[in-house]
Amino acid sequence: MEVIKRNCFSMMIEKRNVEPEKFVTVMKDLEKQVRECYEEPLDRFDSDTFVEMMILDGCFIVLLFEEDTYLRTCLHKLKEGIEQEILCDLLLLENQLPFFVLFDLYNVINMSNDVEIDEFPRLAFSLLSEVIPEPGLCVPEKLPNSKEIKHLLDLVHHSWLHVLEAKAEAKERKGQRLWKFICCRTKPKKKGIRRKGKRKCIRCATELEETGIKFVKIGEEEQDKKGKESLFDIDFTDDGKLKIPILSVEDNTERLLRNFMVYEHFLHSKPTYVCDYVVLMDNLMNSGKDVQLLRKRGIINNWLGDDEVVAQMFNKLGDFTCTSVESNDFYYAEIYDKVHNHCERRRNKWKAKFHKLYLNSPWSIISVLAAFVLLLLTGVQAVYSVLSYHHPK
């Protein structure tokens, strides 16, 4: 790979007629700032080695985002599908380069200081979004300022969740307006909304369906009608429908989700959308049967083939996070409360017990049908007996 990086750099400066000294000058000016971005000291690299490493790695990433023809040809010769692996590696926390390094190298490569502030972030996100486990993910209209982005992982995390952040802000503003209105009309009571007991984990998908909950996918068509939704924008309606956007599970899905979870723990910020999403999906998928149900409903695109593997993946990820469903900061707290209220209704409890006792296997269903037919025939025989008694021949 180092040979490819050097060859691509040589080809780039020859084709674009850029002086190599410009890259060295820019990186020399940034060297101290770059070294301070890493927690561990990088004293093992002398100045020249460090600068060369930043230039080669940074230019390789920029050319990859620009889909440089020579670079793509080299990668295809090396291994089929290696571009996807490289994109996933670029999102690993331990592989991050400061974003200002990539941004300045992008300016030097394109020989311009007047690049639009969101041009490079948009270019980077459009390619990195290909490895995100959300079908049809588009580049958001508004991207963070290049100077505010820490690194590529931060760019994708922020841009991926921009819809939820915007909705959370809108909801908060609406709540503030409502509170002001209430304060003007009435004196506030010192009594909040309470929940009976602690919030518990919800049941798995198969058990929830037994209580009458219907799983509905939110596809690209529905998103287009409502406005772009996020993978994490899950909803539970009053008529008992749990609406979940489509999730594509591939070879790299586990390490990508795990990496975003680590990053959210590292940030120590709320809300932790990815961690909370993993907890919810872990609750829903206890076994391969739950995954099979969600797959048949079109919610899970399982490219791994084995439903049990997907369930085990989310179970492991769920054990990895320290997110608590009891916390008020839990993003799906309201959905959990609604689902629990639905399951606690007496009618739904009876429905679940009946399903578990009499409809949990094909033989049980046959037995119930046979008993029903027998009961029906017995009723018919009783009616004929009564009629023959009152109207003898």
Side-chain angles (χ1 to χ4, degrees):
M1 190 60 73
E2 290 300 317
V3 175
I4 292 178
K5 290 178 183 178
R6 292 183 182 277
N7 291 341
C8 287
F9 181 75
S10 300
M11 182 64 69
M12 179 266 297
I13 60 176
E14 180 183 342
K15 190 192 309 182
R16 306 197 187 195
N17 195 25
V18 186
E19 296 178 6
E21 291 76 15
K22 286 188 176 181
F23 293 97
V24 178
T25 303
V26 170
M27 288 312 303
K28 281 287 186 181
D29 293 340
L30 295 175
E31 181 183 357
K32 183 181 178 182
Q33 187 180 354
V34 173
R35 287 180 180 272
E36 291 174 350
C37 291
Y38 294 93
E39 186 176 2
E40 295 182 3
L42 301 173
D43 298 335
R44 63 183 184 277
F45 300 111
D46 60 58
S47 180
D48 291 340
T49 303
F50 185 75
V51 167
E52 181 186 35
M53 183 174 62
M54 290 293 104
I55 292 173
L56 292 177
D57 288 350
C59 288
F60 175 82
I61 294 171
V62 171
L63 292 174
L64 181 68
F65 291 156
E66 290 187 334
E67 299 185 88
D68 181 76
T69 305
Y70 179 76
L71 174 57
R72 296 191 74 180
T73 303
C74 293
L75 293 177
H76 288 162
K77 288 180 180 178
L78 187 65
K79 181 184 175 183
E80 186 178 353
I82 194 172
E83 285 185 54
Q84 297 292 311
E85 294 180 14
I86 293 174
L87 291 174
C88 289
D89 288 340
L90 290 178
L91 290 176
L92 295 180
L93 193 59
E94 61 269 23
N95 293 339
Q96 298 307 304
L97 277 175
F99 194 80
F100 59 82
V101 172
L102 300 176
F103 184 70
D104 286 356
L105 289 174
Y106 177 75
N107 288 340
V108 176
I109 290 174
N110 291 278
M111 296 179 289
S112 174
N113 294 322
D114 299 325
V115 175
E116 290 186 16
I117 203 71
D118 68 339
E119 181 178 312
F120 181 65
R122 191 170 296 278
L123 186 69
F125 184 80
S126 64
L127 201 63
L128 290 169
S129 63
E130 294 180 7
V131 296
I132 300 299
E134 179 179 350
L137 182 62
C138 300
V139 181
E141 294 181 4
K142 185 178 180 181
L143 284 167
N145 191 304
S146 297
K147 296 179 180 179
E148 298 174 353
I149 302 170
K150 299 181 181 71
H151 38 64
L152 292 175
L153 180 62
D154 181 59
L155 165 68
V156 176
H157 184 267
H158 186 277
S159 304
W160 193 16
L161 306 171
H162 77 286
V163 174
L164 297 181
E165 291 172 350
K167 287 188 175 183
E169 291 175 2
K171 188 176 181 180
E172 185 177 353
R173 288 196 298 269
K174 183 178 179 182
Q176 289 174 351
R177 289 197 300 268
L178 181 62
W179 176 249
K180 288 180 181 178
F181 175 76
I182 293 174
C183 287
C184 293
R185 292 290 299 266
T186 59
K187 191 175 181 179
K189 297 178 181 179
K190 296 181 179 180
K191 186 177 181 181
I193 300 173
R194 295 189 178 183
R195 185 177 64 252
K196 291 183 179 180
K198 293 182 179 180
R199 185 183 298 113
K200 299 178 182 178
C201 295
I202 57 175
R203 304 178 194 176
C204 63
T206 50
E207 291 186 11
L208 289 179
E209 192 179 54
E210 290 174 1
T211 65
I213 291 178
K214 296 179 181 179
F215 291 90
V216 180
K217 73 170 182 178
I218 302 178
E220 294 180 34
E221 298 81 6
E222 292 87 345
Q223 291 176 353
D224 290 337
K225 291 177 182 177
K226 291 175 61 181
K228 187 61 185 171
E229 304 292 325
S230 166
L231 176 68
F232 311 102
D233 203 4
I234 298 171
D235 186 31
F236 186 76
T237 59
D238 294 334
D239 57 351
K241 292 180 181 178
L242 189 56
K243 297 183 176 182
I244 306 175
I246 301 172
L247 169 70
S248 289
V249 181
E250 302 174 355
D251 293 331
N252 293 311
T253 301
E254 181 176 0
R255 70 169 179 159
L256 280 173
L257 290 176
R258 187 184 298 274
N259 199 58
F260 280 111
M261 292 166 66
V262 171
Y263 182 55
E264 288 185 340
H265 284 305
F266 174 76
L267 288 176
H268 300 295
S269 63
K270 291 290 181 181
T272 50
Y273 294 116
V274 179
C275 292
D276 295 358
Y277 175 81
V278 166
V279 169
L280 171 63
M281 298 305 283
D282 175 34
N283 287 170
L284 290 178
M285 293 184 280
N286 280 348
S287 67
K289 290 183 178 180
D290 301 309
V291 179
Q292 183 184 43
L293 171 63
L294 296 177
R295 178 170 53 79
K296 288 182 176 179
R297 299 293 180 270
I299 295 170
I300 299 289
N301 287 339
N302 183 9
W303 296 102
L304 300 180
D306 191 341
D307 292 333
E308 195 65 43
V309 172
V310 177
Q312 291 173 2
M313 180 191 82
F314 275 99
N315 295 157
K316 286 190 293 183
L317 289 173
D319 294 336
F320 180 73
T321 182
C322 58
T323 298
S324 173
V325 300
E326 296 177 6
S327 171
N328 289 328
D329 292 320
F330 183 58
Y331 184 67
Y332 301 106
E334 186 177 349
I335 289 178
Y336 269 53
D337 294 340
K338 287 182 178 180
V339 169
H340 279 304
N341 290 338
H342 174 93
C343 295
E344 287 301 313
R345 290 173 189 159
R346 189 175 300 176
R347 179 184 61 185
N348 295 326
K349 278 186 176 181
W350 290 345
K351 188 176 183 179
K353 286 181 180 179
F354 179 81
H355 196 284
K356 189 172 184 179
L357 291 173
Y358 303 110
L359 303 176
N360 61 344
S361 69
W363 292 111
S364 300
I365 296 173
I366 292 173
S367 300
V368 171
L369 289 175
F372 178 75
V373 171
L374 182 62
L375 183 63
L376 184 63
L377 293 175
T378 303
V380 172
Q381 185 180 11
V383 170
Y384 273 102
S385 299
V386 171
L387 291 175
S388 61
Y389 176 78
H390 287 285
H391 304 283
K393 293 182 181 180

